[in-house]
Each structure stands twice: as C-alpha cells, then as structure tokens.
Amino acid sequence: MKAIRKAAFCAAAIMLAASLSACSGGDDKAGSSGKSTGRDAAAITPSSSPDHSIEGQEPTETPSPSASTLKESGSPSPSASAPKPAACGKPSASPSTNTATAAPALGEKSLSAYFGFADETGTKLMIVPDIQGEIDPDALSSIKTAAGAGGKTLPVAYAGVQQGDAKDNGRQTASNFVHMKGYVFQVEQGTAQPNATYYMLRGEQAPEAFFPVEDRKAAKPGASLLKAVAQEKKRKVDQAWTIGRIDVNGKPMDLLLIQFAREQKSMLASLVLVPEESKPLYKDFPADYDENSTWTVDDGGTMNPDSFSLRFAARTGEGMILGMEWNAAEGSNSFLLQADSGKLADLGIGGGRYMSP
C-alpha cells in the first residue's frame, strides 16, 4: 500500500521512542497515508484485557506493526518505519531567524521525542507505545508541557499507563482513546482541542517562549515573492498557498506551501518561511510523479494546502522551531523544523497517527 511520504510508515504509527534534545534531519516527503522516512511508531495490537485502568508502571509487551501508510522514496521524511534515535547535535542558528534574546526560550533539554493526542473531553493526552514497546518512565515524568493548536501551551502531568481493552480498533483517535493502550497525561489547566495532536515538552515552559501563530490559508502569496522564489530554485512555480503567519515580536513571518512545475517525472514542493528582512528558508519535498499518489496516497499528483497545519512556533537558543502537521487519507504525520543556516532543517523528531476509518 502506498502512503504519506516516500518511505514505509507503520499504519498504527504514533510516537517516537527515543529521548533526545535537538537533532538534525534531511529533506522529506510527508503525511500519513502518504510518504515518509522520518520516525513513526507502530501502535500496539488490541488487548484482550478489559482493564482501562491507569497504572504507575510501564508496559512490557512489544507492539505489532500494522499495514504501511507511507509512500516510499529516497528522500527522508519526518516520520517513518521503525523509530530510532535521531542523530543529536546542536544546529547552528540562522542569522535571519535567531530569536535568542532575553525573552523566554525553550531550554537546551526541553525537546523530547514524543507527540501525543487529546481525548474527546480535552482533559487528557496520550502517547502511544511505539514499536520498541516501552518508554522510560523518567522520560515521561519529566514532560510538563504540551504545545499545539494555534501555538497555545498546556501544563500537563504524567498519570500512568492505560492498559486498553479488546475494543481497541487500532485507530489513534479521540473516539478510541479509552480503548487504547498508552501513556496518559492529565491536562492540569485549560482544555486541549479534542482529537488534536500536541508536541510534548520536558519541563514547564513559559508561554512567552512561543510566538503567536494564525491560519492564513485565505491569503495569497505576492507575485514578486513567487518570482524571486522561482529564480532562486531555478524552477517555475505551478501553485502557491499561504499556510500560516508567525508574529515575531510584531514582525510577521509567513509560511508558504509552493508546488513547482513538473519536469518529466520530477516533482518538487517546498514549505517556505518568509522572514520580513531576509531571504526565504526552504524545506523541500521532492517526489516522482504518480497520477494517483505523488506525495501522499490518493493525492492526485498535487499538494493540498488544507493538509498542512502550523501547530506552533517557538524560540530557542539555536533558532526558531516550527511544529508542523501533515494530514493525508489515512492519518497524519507531525514533525519539527528549525530555522537553521538559511534553511528549514528537519530535526528528526516526528510522530504519526493512523486514523483511517
């Protein structure tokens, strides 16, 4: 089965298992039910036990991977086959987007390897066991903040392991939340957006470390900007959309999705961050043309701006980090990008959710 980026992704994918700080990655193809070569984790098989209770210990059974949902390609992506730790290192900050100031920022040890999703009430979040089967409880107890849904943050606390039951249908959705086996977090203040994906951060994070973000899909990129992009990439722009806007200390940065003209079998799309006073930064998604599934399964050979969501943007000592989600026919992939040396670098931190009906 073809799926979201060009790399095999376990259909029941949800979270990465390795604990890390900041890591570097390569160019991707994304989505769920599309293509990917980053890090996705497989959800566990449904348990025959009717116990929904949350316990203070870690599960020991190893989950079984389900059907692939990502299209395979030679280009790396935010989520992918069996999860493994990303290569750690400090990315050098881009001069144009380095936001390290006296203002609050994410600490060096704030980043984790985990994404979670909210239940129907918005009072709980869950990290699903990955293909390795277990997560260090110390890594979970250090998670205190969930980021997402318009750049908002929520204080959370690890509540323990939910064992799940035989009614688990393998879908990582709010409606199946109470039946799943996973690591549960209690939202301590406020309410999460039901069924939404959140990035899980270590420690308590100041809301001021996160920039305001807004959906800008109704706005059209300017013709002069697109001309400059075409000249820089040496490729004609086919379609272009605005995905979102980041308010960086009163200065707007737009995030665009651009699909370039097809050249024989070669396809290219890019996420483009446009700082107000410097050159655009790119995250490229090359692909081979397929009239049914180029980047994601059943995409019809074209990008869809509604499939992308800018979840949050935050300042760090190493530059700005963007939390992204790419939805497709069978689910979604989440991943982190960092403004780094004139490009949007994939940090190698990603997670996928299998949600196909």
Side-chain angles (χ1 to χ4, degrees):
M1 175 186 289
K2 292 181 176 179
I4 289 201
R5 306 182 185 184
K6 284 199 164 184
F9 150 47
C10 296
I14 174 92
M15 306 296 138
L16 232 106
S19 213
L20 44 91
S21 295
C23 310
S24 60
D27 290 340
D28 307 49
K29 308 193 174 179
S32 133
S33 167
K35 316 177 180 184
S36 171
T37 53
R39 293 172 172 74
D40 291 31
I44 62 168
T45 52
S47 167
S48 58
S49 168
D51 183 11
H52 298 185
S53 62
I54 295 176
E55 303 172 5
Q57 74 239 7
E58 305 303 310
T60 56
E61 63 180 287
T62 301
S64 303
S66 19
S68 170
T69 56
L70 297 180
K71 260 189 99 171
E72 182 135 26
S73 142
S75 172
S77 82
S79 26
S81 56
K84 40 192 174 183
C88 292
K90 284 189 178 181
S92 57
S94 167
S96 62
T97 56
N98 189 344
T99 56
T101 65
L106 301 185
E108 183 178 325
K109 298 181 180 180
S110 297
L111 301 187
S112 80
Y114 312 114
F115 287 82
F117 73 98
D119 67 356
E120 293 181 309
T121 68
T123 61
K124 294 179 181 179
L125 299 175
M126 179 184 288
I127 294 174
V128 178
D130 71 1
I131 200 167
Q132 297 182 18
E134 296 184 20
I135 300 177
D136 183 351
D138 290 338
L140 297 175
S141 62
S142 67
I143 291 173
K144 302 294 184 182
T145 305
K152 304 292 178 61
T153 60
L154 296 168
V156 297
Y158 178 52
V161 181
Q162 176 173 286
Q163 293 303 320
D165 60 34
K167 293 183 180 179
D168 181 2
N169 60 19
R171 274 59 173 175
Q172 291 146 359
T173 60
S175 61
N176 190 43
F177 192 101
V178 297
H179 302 299
M180 296 177 60
K181 187 171 187 176
Y183 304 91
V184 176
F185 289 77
Q186 185 71 40
V187 177
E188 296 195 302
Q189 184 177 345
T191 305
Q193 179 181 327
N195 200 44
T197 301
Y198 285 79
Y199 178 57
M200 313 299 281
L201 288 144
R202 297 190 182 104
E204 297 177 359
Q205 305 298 331
E208 293 78 14
F210 295 80
F211 299 107
V213 301
E214 61 177 306
D215 189 299
R216 294 279 293 176
K217 292 186 175 68
K220 296 188 179 300
S224 59
L225 172 61
L226 296 181
K227 181 178 179 180
V229 167
Q231 291 175 343
E232 184 170 354
K233 301 296 282 188
K234 297 180 174 57
R235 195 153 176 166
K236 181 181 177 181
V237 171
D238 184 15
Q239 301 183 79
W241 309 271
T242 304
I243 298 299
R245 171 167 288 182
I246 307 167
D247 182 350
V248 182
N249 304 324
K251 295 182 178 181
M253 285 191 189
D254 282 345
L255 181 66
L256 312 181
L257 173 64
I258 296 179
Q259 180 175 324
F260 295 91
R262 175 184 168 189
E263 295 181 354
Q264 297 181 340
K265 292 271 297 178
S266 173
M267 298 290 285
L268 177 64
S270 300
L271 286 173
V272 185
L273 182 65
V274 187
E276 189 179 55
E277 300 173 351
S278 59
K279 294 178 62 176
L281 285 70
Y282 298 88
K283 175 58 186 170
D284 292 333
F285 300 98
D288 291 330
Y289 177 73
D290 183 301
E291 63 180 354
N292 294 316
S293 307
T294 295
W295 285 280
T296 69
V297 165
D298 298 334
D299 63 14
T302 187
M303 279 287 183
N304 181 355
D306 292 330
S307 296
F308 285 85
S309 175
L310 172 61
R311 305 298 292 168
F312 67 88
R315 60 168 61 86
T316 76
E318 307 298 331
M320 181 189 296
I321 284 181
L322 306 183
M324 298 297 305
E325 187 168 28
W326 186 348
N327 296 298
E330 296 178 359
S332 71
N333 281 326
S334 298
F335 53 100
L336 299 186
L337 300 176
Q338 184 167 47
D340 173 28
S341 301
K343 65 181 179 180
L344 289 177
D346 186 347
L347 289 181
I349 299 175
R353 292 174 61 190
Y354 179 66
M355 297 181 284
S356 179

